[in-house]
Amino acid sequence: MIIFDRVSIAYDPSSPIVRDLSLEICEGECFVLAGPTGSGKSTLLRAINGLVPRFSGGILEGSVSVHGRSTAQYGPESFADLVGYVGQDPTASFVTERVEDELAYVMENLGFAPSTMRRRVEEVLDLLDLHRLRHRPLTTLSLGERQRVAIGAVLTAAPPVLVLDEPTSALDPMAAEEVLAAISRLVHDLGITVVLAEHRLDRVLPIADRIGVIHPEDASLRVALPSEITLDPRVSPPLTELARKLKWSRIPLTVREGRRASGLERAELVGKLPPEEATKPSKFVARVENVRLHYGSLQALRGVNLSVGAGEIVALMGRNGAGKSSLLALLAGLKSPSSGAVSVAGLEPTAMKARERIGAVGLVPQNPTTLLYASTVEEECSSADLEHGLAAGSTSQLLGELLEGIELEAHPRDLSEGQRLVLALAVVLGPQPDLIALDEPTRGLDYEAKRHLAKVLARLRDQGCGILVATHDVELVAQIADRTVVLAEGEVVAEGQTRAVLAQSPSSTTQVGKVFYPDAWLTVDEVVAALEHLRTEP
Amino acid sequence: MRLRIHEQIHPLAWWLWAACIASMALITSNPLVLIGLGLVAATVGLLRQSEGGVSAALGSFLMIGIWVVGIRVAFQVIFGVRLPGHVLFSLPELQLPSWAAGVSLGGPVTAEALIAAAIAGCKLGVALIAFGAANALASPRDLMRILPQSLASLSVAVSVALAFVPELLLAIREQREARLLRGRPVRGLSGWRAMLVPVIEGSLRSASALSASMVSRGFGAAGAASNRLSLPFLTLGLSGLGLATAGAYLLAYPSLPLALAISLIVTGFAAIAAVLVGGSRKVLRTRYRPLHFGRNSWAVLISGLGVSAGLLIAQSITPDLLAWNPYTWTMPAVSWLCFASMLMGLSALLWSPLPSAMGERRLPIEEYVGSAR
């Protein structure tokens, strides 16, 4: 049992993260922590085993205790047998080099007998389906495998409580499902108490018992049952949004419930999908022809063809390591292909001078913070103006157009994830590149920030930009992409109109798409619009 | 002696093997012996690098070794001591004030001086290659695991440092790419200065993530209170250290009896060993699959010791074998025992299992750095 007793946590006394929080998480419960980016989900999770404030600084008032042990009296190391804490980046958490050693590490620290260790390691290997990887060096694992090893590495101590910080945020949908299936097994078969933070509520709603949403404006945590959570538009997944807009009496949490609830609408909409005309872009801003790229013996790209037209959004999908980022790096001139041709605005990116190149292609990397150097937003904008030879104030004006309400005096690192992304985008857009490439832009964004990003990208498209977005996020792809290209093992496996590509397979489509399968409806808005249209003019 | 093919070599055996080669490299100035030692270390390192080992280590240490030779030669050219010899070319000489009488700047550069500098650089270079080979053969983390428990904090420092280096390199690449994306200069002083803060920040962040992960997995829980040595152990350890140091110092004075120096060193090390063993009893950490120092490991260790022994015996038979003076313009001496000791070093290949090809598939996470995060 985890008890927060009138807890206030603050790094800066004037703006606490939570104020006066009292919460009890019962044994065997699966508690999901949600809330906008930067609202303090990680802080709250780290307070459970005392990493906050002992490791992070800041002030914690009130008391946090787990099974009667209070973090005020004991340090995080004394909670290893009670709380298994898995941080956001599994790779950064690895201490040893091989899977088996990593699993044994916590038990070595706690002084388990060698025979017990052997036994526990075997059990956890089976439980998380890691037995085939047991002798593998950790660096050779995929991200999903790493996440499962990181979970296993705390489970071997058999803690009654498991704390997971965004366990699926870096994963492609399949790997995320693997990890969630493992978590669900822990909750249901072993009765472990699980507390996890997650942006993508649609993924975790089926296993959650209660959901706590942090409201940064008044530093409070509001706890609700999964069926009630849907009242908060900032955290609601597409399925609940659909249910709300269609005024269903019960809000479905899973696709299965969604299909059962939507029988009427599905019957009504059969064959009503408006025909789509394939638009031919007037000119191409980027072309990749039969490109191969290898690092040593590893083939990252094997003969890829791709083109992006002006005024077109192309989505690049595929699992982690499929070659998406390599392709973006080629287009941005960070790498040259081993063979084949890459051209952006008619020229080869690596052959261009720095000035020309940023005028032809702008890449916003996965971690947009790396693009920002200055100590305030304003400084960042004015230095971008200077660099790109623009009139003073143009970048900050652009920023204002993209997103309102960014404080110009703020330090870029203090902005929310979404704001930072837009700031990086504004900086990259300064020289008016023909092609804009974004790598996993929705990672770490909440639903609202994602909706805003979709609007911004749609506007840039209308201004004639060619946009290439590498992403795992099917919902975003369904909303904005004109065409979708799916990569696997460095090859293009599917390409075409987004709707056609996404509807090809029920497991990789949007939530709405899964509910309406085999009809190719993808987004809430189009379903709602079509139904309204049908019902108003019979 | 029957050897088991699949027996894993104990990391300590590999590191001692490499230490034998490195120590020989440091005491010899015979270029032929140096080349032989370098080849032995590099060959075994390349052919037997383990999966856990730092596979890039050998290459990087080879590069560092070459740099060391280059820098050593450059220093000789600029600052070197001027002894008479065959002058190759002359640099303008700078007259230094009297207080810097020992240092010379510029002046004639002789072939002998250059050769001597290159050999001095090579000694360090070969020792570095041996160290790189040790890294490739057995992961330093595995070595840390077998340290006595009372040195646990040392092993933590090493693990954090080991995690820090690749993160640092990754952070540097990430910043480089970000600057390319913004069309800013990547090279030159301004490029480096601007990269410094984000790079250091990034690697500190990952080091703190690692330490948070270690602590929340109970690091220091069992041994926290007892990890500190008690006063008697501390006194014993410090006096042992003092005795050993004094003994090593006495070694340098040939006028004093050798037995005194050696007995001081032995007593000192015995005291230190007692502290390490006695102190570690108190720590309640256990070991998963403790490594076994088996026959093959002994064979590897003996092959390393054989290199040292062979060369030292060769030196006693042929004086001036290990010490070669370029100013004499004679061929460096070699004897059949030299070859034998090199072969002895190579024989480690026979006792160690081939690195297993476990169907590894490396995740292409290095597409570009932004994607690895």
Side-chain angles (χ1 to χ4, degrees), chain A residues 28-57:
Chain A
E29 187 174 349
C30 178
F31 190 91
V32 172
L33 206 52
T37 321
S39 59
K41 296 192 289 293
S42 297
T43 302
L44 214 51
L45 289 183
R46 288 160 73 97
I48 295 178
N49 71 347
L51 283 173
V52 166
R54 285 185 195 241
F55 242 73
S56 58

PDB file of all heavy atoms in Angstrom, chain A residues 28-57:
ATOM      1  N   GLY A  28      -2.279  -4.392  -5.187  1.00  0.00           N
ATOM      2  CA  GLY A  28      -2.797  -5.040  -6.379  1.00  0.00           C
ATOM      3  C   GLY A  28      -3.472  -4.096  -7.354  1.00  0.00           C
ATOM      4  O   GLY A  28      -4.024  -4.527  -8.352  1.00  0.00           O
ATOM      5  N   GLU A  29      -3.409  -2.812  -7.097  1.00  0.00           N
ATOM      6  CA  GLU A  29      -4.065  -1.854  -7.978  1.00  0.00           C
ATOM      7  C   GLU A  29      -3.140  -1.474  -9.132  1.00  0.00           C
ATOM      8  O   GLU A  29      -1.911  -1.486  -8.990  1.00  0.00           O
ATOM      9  CB  GLU A  29      -4.401  -0.593  -7.168  1.00  0.00           C
ATOM     10  CG  GLU A  29      -5.232   0.396  -7.957  1.00  0.00           C
ATOM     11  CD  GLU A  29      -5.703   1.584  -7.110  1.00  0.00           C
ATOM     12  OE1 GLU A  29      -5.552   1.527  -5.874  1.00  0.00           O
ATOM     13  OE2 GLU A  29      -6.205   2.538  -7.696  1.00  0.00           O
ATOM     14  N   CYS A  30      -3.742  -1.158 -10.282  1.00  0.00           N
ATOM     15  CA  CYS A  30      -2.957  -0.583 -11.375  1.00  0.00           C
ATOM     16  C   CYS A  30      -3.365   0.876 -11.504  1.00  0.00           C
ATOM     17  O   CYS A  30      -4.465   1.181 -11.939  1.00  0.00           O
ATOM     18  CB  CYS A  30      -3.206  -1.335 -12.682  1.00  0.00           C
ATOM     19  SG  CYS A  30      -2.298  -0.623 -14.054  1.00  0.00           S
ATOM     20  N   PHE A  31      -2.479   1.753 -11.073  1.00  0.00           N
ATOM     21  CA  PHE A  31      -2.790   3.180 -11.015  1.00  0.00           C
ATOM     22  C   PHE A  31      -2.029   3.889 -12.128  1.00  0.00           C
ATOM     23  O   PHE A  31      -0.812   3.761 -12.233  1.00  0.00           O
ATOM     24  CB  PHE A  31      -2.373   3.727  -9.649  1.00  0.00           C
ATOM     25  CG  PHE A  31      -2.853   5.127  -9.384  1.00  0.00           C
ATOM     26  CD1 PHE A  31      -4.074   5.343  -8.760  1.00  0.00           C
ATOM     27  CD2 PHE A  31      -2.083   6.222  -9.757  1.00  0.00           C
ATOM     28  CE1 PHE A  31      -4.522   6.642  -8.513  1.00  0.00           C
ATOM     29  CE2 PHE A  31      -2.534   7.513  -9.525  1.00  0.00           C
ATOM     30  CZ  PHE A  31      -3.752   7.718  -8.891  1.00  0.00           C
ATOM     31  N   VAL A  32      -2.778   4.627 -12.956  1.00  0.00           N
ATOM     32  CA  VAL A  32      -2.138   5.318 -14.078  1.00  0.00           C
ATOM     33  C   VAL A  32      -2.079   6.804 -13.785  1.00  0.00           C
ATOM     34  O   VAL A  32      -3.058   7.403 -13.340  1.00  0.00           O
ATOM     35  CB  VAL A  32      -2.911   5.072 -15.389  1.00  0.00           C
ATOM     36  CG1 VAL A  32      -2.351   5.941 -16.498  1.00  0.00           C
ATOM     37  CG2 VAL A  32      -2.816   3.618 -15.779  1.00  0.00           C
ATOM     38  N   LEU A  33      -0.922   7.391 -14.007  1.00  0.00           N
ATOM     39  CA  LEU A  33      -0.729   8.810 -13.767  1.00  0.00           C
ATOM     40  C   LEU A  33      -0.683   9.504 -15.125  1.00  0.00           C
ATOM     41  O   LEU A  33       0.126   9.149 -15.980  1.00  0.00           O
ATOM     42  CB  LEU A  33       0.596   8.988 -13.031  1.00  0.00           C
ATOM     43  CG  LEU A  33       0.793  10.197 -12.147  1.00  0.00           C
ATOM     44  CD1 LEU A  33      -0.349  10.317 -11.170  1.00  0.00           C
ATOM     45  CD2 LEU A  33       2.111  10.074 -11.422  1.00  0.00           C
ATOM     46  N   ALA A  34      -1.582  10.473 -15.317  1.00  0.00           N
ATOM     47  CA  ALA A  34      -1.612  11.175 -16.593  1.00  0.00           C
ATOM     48  C   ALA A  34      -1.495  12.664 -16.326  1.00  0.00           C
ATOM     49  O   ALA A  34      -1.494  13.106 -15.182  1.00  0.00           O
ATOM     50  CB  ALA A  34      -2.903  10.859 -17.335  1.00  0.00           C
ATOM     51  N   GLY A  35      -1.456  13.424 -17.389  1.00  0.00           N
ATOM     52  CA  GLY A  35      -1.358  14.862 -17.241  1.00  0.00           C
ATOM     53  C   GLY A  35      -0.477  15.410 -18.331  1.00  0.00           C
ATOM     54  O   GLY A  35       0.278  14.673 -18.953  1.00  0.00           O
ATOM     55  N   PRO A  36      -0.578  16.732 -18.585  1.00  0.00           N
ATOM     56  CA  PRO A  36       0.207  17.318 -19.665  1.00  0.00           C
ATOM     57  C   PRO A  36       1.705  17.104 -19.439  1.00  0.00           C
ATOM     58  O   PRO A  36       2.147  16.851 -18.319  1.00  0.00           O
ATOM     59  CB  PRO A  36      -0.132  18.811 -19.587  1.00  0.00           C
ATOM     60  CG  PRO A  36      -1.221  18.959 -18.617  1.00  0.00           C
ATOM     61  CD  PRO A  36      -1.395  17.695 -17.878  1.00  0.00           C
ATOM     62  N   THR A  37       2.459  17.235 -20.543  1.00  0.00           N
ATOM     63  CA  THR A  37       3.905  17.086 -20.426  1.00  0.00           C
ATOM     64  C   THR A  37       4.466  18.112 -19.457  1.00  0.00           C
ATOM     65  O   THR A  37       4.026  19.244 -19.435  1.00  0.00           O
ATOM     66  CB  THR A  37       4.539  17.342 -21.798  1.00  0.00           C
ATOM     67  OG1 THR A  37       3.700  16.777 -22.763  1.00  0.00           O
ATOM     68  CG2 THR A  37       5.902  16.765 -21.875  1.00  0.00           C
ATOM     69  N   GLY A  38       5.413  17.693 -18.669  1.00  0.00           N
ATOM     70  CA  GLY A  38       6.061  18.625 -17.758  1.00  0.00           C
ATOM     71  C   GLY A  38       5.221  18.944 -16.542  1.00  0.00           C
ATOM     72  O   GLY A  38       5.538  19.849 -15.784  1.00  0.00           O
ATOM     73  N   SER A  39       4.133  18.202 -16.325  1.00  0.00           N
ATOM     74  CA  SER A  39       3.282  18.536 -15.187  1.00  0.00           C
ATOM     75  C   SER A  39       3.771  17.870 -13.909  1.00  0.00           C
ATOM     76  O   SER A  39       3.249  18.111 -12.845  1.00  0.00           O
ATOM     77  CB  SER A  39       1.841  18.128 -15.472  1.00  0.00           C
ATOM     78  OG  SER A  39       1.779  16.745 -15.720  1.00  0.00           O
ATOM     79  N   GLY A  40       4.770  17.011 -14.009  1.00  0.00           N
ATOM     80  CA  GLY A  40       5.343  16.452 -12.782  1.00  0.00           C
ATOM     81  C   GLY A  40       5.008  15.000 -12.539  1.00  0.00           C
ATOM     82  O   GLY A  40       5.086  14.537 -11.412  1.00  0.00           O
ATOM     83  N   LYS A  41       4.657  14.280 -13.607  1.00  0.00           N
ATOM     84  CA  LYS A  41       4.361  12.854 -13.440  1.00  0.00           C
ATOM     85  C   LYS A  41       5.584  12.108 -12.919  1.00  0.00           C
ATOM     86  O   LYS A  41       5.500  11.348 -11.959  1.00  0.00           O
ATOM     87  CB  LYS A  41       3.923  12.240 -14.776  1.00  0.00           C
ATOM     88  CG  LYS A  41       2.627  12.817 -15.311  1.00  0.00           C
ATOM     89  CD  LYS A  41       2.087  11.998 -16.453  1.00  0.00           C
ATOM     90  CE  LYS A  41       2.904  12.121 -17.721  1.00  0.00           C
ATOM     91  NZ  LYS A  41       2.865  13.451 -18.349  1.00  0.00           N
ATOM     92  N   SER A  42       6.742  12.374 -13.563  1.00  0.00           N
ATOM     93  CA  SER A  42       7.960  11.672 -13.151  1.00  0.00           C
ATOM     94  C   SER A  42       8.308  12.007 -11.708  1.00  0.00           C
ATOM     95  O   SER A  42       8.701  11.139 -10.939  1.00  0.00           O
ATOM     96  CB  SER A  42       9.128  12.073 -14.047  1.00  0.00           C
ATOM     97  OG  SER A  42       8.874  11.696 -15.357  1.00  0.00           O
ATOM     98  N   THR A  43       8.161  13.277 -11.353  1.00  0.00           N
ATOM     99  CA  THR A  43       8.482  13.695  -9.986  1.00  0.00           C
ATOM    100  C   THR A  43       7.659  12.915  -8.974  1.00  0.00           C
ATOM    101  O   THR A  43       8.166  12.423  -7.975  1.00  0.00           O
ATOM    102  CB  THR A  43       8.205  15.198  -9.838  1.00  0.00           C
ATOM    103  OG1 THR A  43       8.983  15.881 -10.798  1.00  0.00           O
ATOM    104  CG2 THR A  43       8.545  15.683  -8.456  1.00  0.00           C
ATOM    105  N   LEU A  44       6.373  12.799  -9.258  1.00  0.00           N
ATOM    106  CA  LEU A  44       5.491  12.100  -8.329  1.00  0.00           C
ATOM    107  C   LEU A  44       5.869  10.621  -8.227  1.00  0.00           C
ATOM    108  O   LEU A  44       5.889  10.046  -7.139  1.00  0.00           O
ATOM    109  CB  LEU A  44       4.051  12.247  -8.829  1.00  0.00           C
ATOM    110  CG  LEU A  44       2.962  12.356  -7.766  1.00  0.00           C
ATOM    111  CD1 LEU A  44       3.303  13.427  -6.759  1.00  0.00           C
ATOM    112  CD2 LEU A  44       1.635  12.683  -8.432  1.00  0.00           C
ATOM    113  N   LEU A  45       6.217  10.028  -9.376  1.00  0.00           N
ATOM    114  CA  LEU A  45       6.609   8.621  -9.354  1.00  0.00           C
ATOM    115  C   LEU A  45       7.899   8.425  -8.558  1.00  0.00           C
ATOM    116  O   LEU A  45       8.027   7.488  -7.783  1.00  0.00           O
ATOM    117  CB  LEU A  45       6.830   8.109 -10.785  1.00  0.00           C
ATOM    118  CG  LEU A  45       5.621   7.926 -11.667  1.00  0.00           C
ATOM    119  CD1 LEU A  45       6.046   7.341 -13.003  1.00  0.00           C
ATOM    120  CD2 LEU A  45       4.615   7.003 -11.014  1.00  0.00           C
ATOM    121  N   ARG A  46       8.824   9.344  -8.771  1.00  0.00           N
ATOM    122  CA  ARG A  46      10.117   9.199  -8.092  1.00  0.00           C
ATOM    123  C   ARG A  46      10.019   9.475  -6.602  1.00  0.00           C
ATOM    124  O   ARG A  46      10.922   9.125  -5.847  1.00  0.00           O
ATOM    125  CB  ARG A  46      11.154  10.114  -8.747  1.00  0.00           C
ATOM    126  CG  ARG A  46      11.580   9.616 -10.118  1.00  0.00           C
ATOM    127  CD  ARG A  46      12.202  10.716 -10.938  1.00  0.00           C
ATOM    128  NE  ARG A  46      13.529  11.064 -10.459  1.00  0.00           N
ATOM    129  CZ  ARG A  46      14.653  10.600 -10.975  1.00  0.00           C
ATOM    130  NH1 ARG A  46      14.597   9.758 -11.984  1.00  0.00           N
ATOM    131  NH2 ARG A  46      15.826  10.956 -10.509  1.00  0.00           N
ATOM    132  N   ALA A  47       8.918  10.130  -6.206  1.00  0.00           N
ATOM    133  CA  ALA A  47       8.736  10.361  -4.764  1.00  0.00           C
ATOM    134  C   ALA A  47       8.363   9.069  -4.047  1.00  0.00           C
ATOM    135  O   ALA A  47       8.521   8.965  -2.834  1.00  0.00           O
ATOM    136  CB  ALA A  47       7.666  11.420  -4.536  1.00  0.00           C
ATOM    137  N   ILE A  48       7.870   8.077  -4.792  1.00  0.00           N
ATOM    138  CA  ILE A  48       7.403   6.856  -4.137  1.00  0.00           C
ATOM    139  C   ILE A  48       8.553   6.112  -3.468  1.00  0.00           C
ATOM    140  O   ILE A  48       8.409   5.601  -2.368  1.00  0.00           O
ATOM    141  CB  ILE A  48       6.671   5.940  -5.151  1.00  0.00           C
ATOM    142  CG1 ILE A  48       5.404   6.640  -5.626  1.00  0.00           C
ATOM    143  CG2 ILE A  48       6.322   4.593  -4.521  1.00  0.00           C
ATOM    144  CD1 ILE A  48       4.623   5.876  -6.657  1.00  0.00           C
ATOM    145  N   ASN A  49       9.726   6.054  -4.126  1.00  0.00           N
ATOM    146  CA  ASN A  49      10.836   5.384  -3.431  1.00  0.00           C
ATOM    147  C   ASN A  49      11.869   6.366  -2.909  1.00  0.00           C
ATOM    148  O   ASN A  49      12.983   5.983  -2.577  1.00  0.00           O
ATOM    149  CB  ASN A  49      11.475   4.301  -4.299  1.00  0.00           C
ATOM    150  CG  ASN A  49      12.258   4.865  -5.457  1.00  0.00           C
ATOM    151  OD1 ASN A  49      12.148   6.039  -5.774  1.00  0.00           O
ATOM    152  ND2 ASN A  49      13.065   4.036  -6.092  1.00  0.00           N
ATOM    153  N   GLY A  50      11.512   7.631  -2.854  1.00  0.00           N
ATOM    154  CA  GLY A  50      12.391   8.601  -2.221  1.00  0.00           C
ATOM    155  C   GLY A  50      13.478   9.171  -3.112  1.00  0.00           C
ATOM    156  O   GLY A  50      14.341   9.894  -2.648  1.00  0.00           O
ATOM    157  N   LEU A  51      13.459   8.851  -4.424  1.00  0.00           N
ATOM    158  CA  LEU A  51      14.432   9.483  -5.319  1.00  0.00           C
ATOM    159  C   LEU A  51      14.200  10.986  -5.326  1.00  0.00           C
ATOM    160  O   LEU A  51      15.131  11.773  -5.437  1.00  0.00           O
ATOM    161  CB  LEU A  51      14.309   8.919  -6.735  1.00  0.00           C
ATOM    162  CG  LEU A  51      14.916   7.545  -6.985  1.00  0.00           C
ATOM    163  CD1 LEU A  51      14.571   7.066  -8.377  1.00  0.00           C
ATOM    164  CD2 LEU A  51      16.417   7.582  -6.816  1.00  0.00           C
ATOM    165  N   VAL A  52      12.922  11.373  -5.225  1.00  0.00           N
ATOM    166  CA  VAL A  52      12.573  12.773  -4.991  1.00  0.00           C
ATOM    167  C   VAL A  52      12.235  12.869  -3.508  1.00  0.00           C
ATOM    168  O   VAL A  52      11.432  12.073  -3.021  1.00  0.00           O
ATOM    169  CB  VAL A  52      11.363  13.195  -5.852  1.00  0.00           C
ATOM    170  CG1 VAL A  52      10.792  14.524  -5.377  1.00  0.00           C
ATOM    171  CG2 VAL A  52      11.752  13.278  -7.313  1.00  0.00           C
ATOM    172  N   PRO A  53      12.800  13.725  -2.731  1.00  0.00           N
ATOM    173  CA  PRO A  53      13.761  14.766  -3.095  1.00  0.00           C
ATOM    174  C   PRO A  53      15.220  14.383  -2.909  1.00  0.00           C
ATOM    175  O   PRO A  53      16.083  15.203  -3.167  1.00  0.00           O
ATOM    176  CB  PRO A  53      13.393  15.885  -2.115  1.00  0.00           C
ATOM    177  CG  PRO A  53      12.998  15.149  -0.880  1.00  0.00           C
ATOM    178  CD  PRO A  53      12.383  13.857  -1.336  1.00  0.00           C
ATOM    179  N   ARG A  54      15.515  13.147  -2.478  1.00  0.00           N
ATOM    180  CA  ARG A  54      16.907  12.850  -2.128  1.00  0.00           C
ATOM    181  C   ARG A  54      17.850  12.937  -3.312  1.00  0.00           C
ATOM    182  O   ARG A  54      19.017  13.244  -3.159  1.00  0.00           O
ATOM    183  CB  ARG A  54      16.998  11.459  -1.528  1.00  0.00           C
ATOM    184  CG  ARG A  54      16.468  11.439  -0.121  1.00  0.00           C
ATOM    185  CD  ARG A  54      16.672  10.082   0.481  1.00  0.00           C
ATOM    186  NE  ARG A  54      15.875   9.960   1.670  1.00  0.00           N
ATOM    187  CZ  ARG A  54      16.384   9.736   2.872  1.00  0.00           C
ATOM    188  NH1 ARG A  54      17.667   9.607   3.030  1.00  0.00           N
ATOM    189  NH2 ARG A  54      15.597   9.655   3.912  1.00  0.00           N
ATOM    190  N   PHE A  55      17.366  12.597  -4.498  1.00  0.00           N
ATOM    191  CA  PHE A  55      18.244  12.590  -5.651  1.00  0.00           C
ATOM    192  C   PHE A  55      18.117  13.836  -6.505  1.00  0.00           C
ATOM    193  O   PHE A  55      18.984  14.147  -7.289  1.00  0.00           O
ATOM    194  CB  PHE A  55      17.925  11.362  -6.512  1.00  0.00           C
ATOM    195  CG  PHE A  55      19.081  10.443  -6.623  1.00  0.00           C
ATOM    196  CD1 PHE A  55      19.430   9.679  -5.542  1.00  0.00           C
ATOM    197  CD2 PHE A  55      19.828  10.365  -7.774  1.00  0.00           C
ATOM    198  CE1 PHE A  55      20.507   8.842  -5.618  1.00  0.00           C
ATOM    199  CE2 PHE A  55      20.908   9.529  -7.855  1.00  0.00           C
ATOM    200  CZ  PHE A  55      21.250   8.763  -6.773  1.00  0.00           C
ATOM    201  N   SER A  56      16.973  14.528  -6.355  1.00  0.00           N
ATOM    202  CA  SER A  56      16.675  15.585  -7.307  1.00  0.00           C
ATOM    203  C   SER A  56      16.764  16.964  -6.689  1.00  0.00           C
ATOM    204  O   SER A  56      16.777  17.954  -7.393  1.00  0.00           O
ATOM    205  CB  SER A  56      15.257  15.383  -7.816  1.00  0.00           C
ATOM    206  OG  SER A  56      14.386  15.409  -6.708  1.00  0.00           O
ATOM    207  N   GLY A  57      16.835  17.054  -5.375  1.00  0.00           N
ATOM    208  CA  GLY A  57      16.687  18.349  -4.741  1.00  0.00           C
ATOM    209  C   GLY A  57      15.208  18.682  -4.665  1.00  0.00           C
ATOM    210  O   GLY A  57      14.359  17.835  -4.948  1.00  0.00           O
TER     211      GLY A  57
END
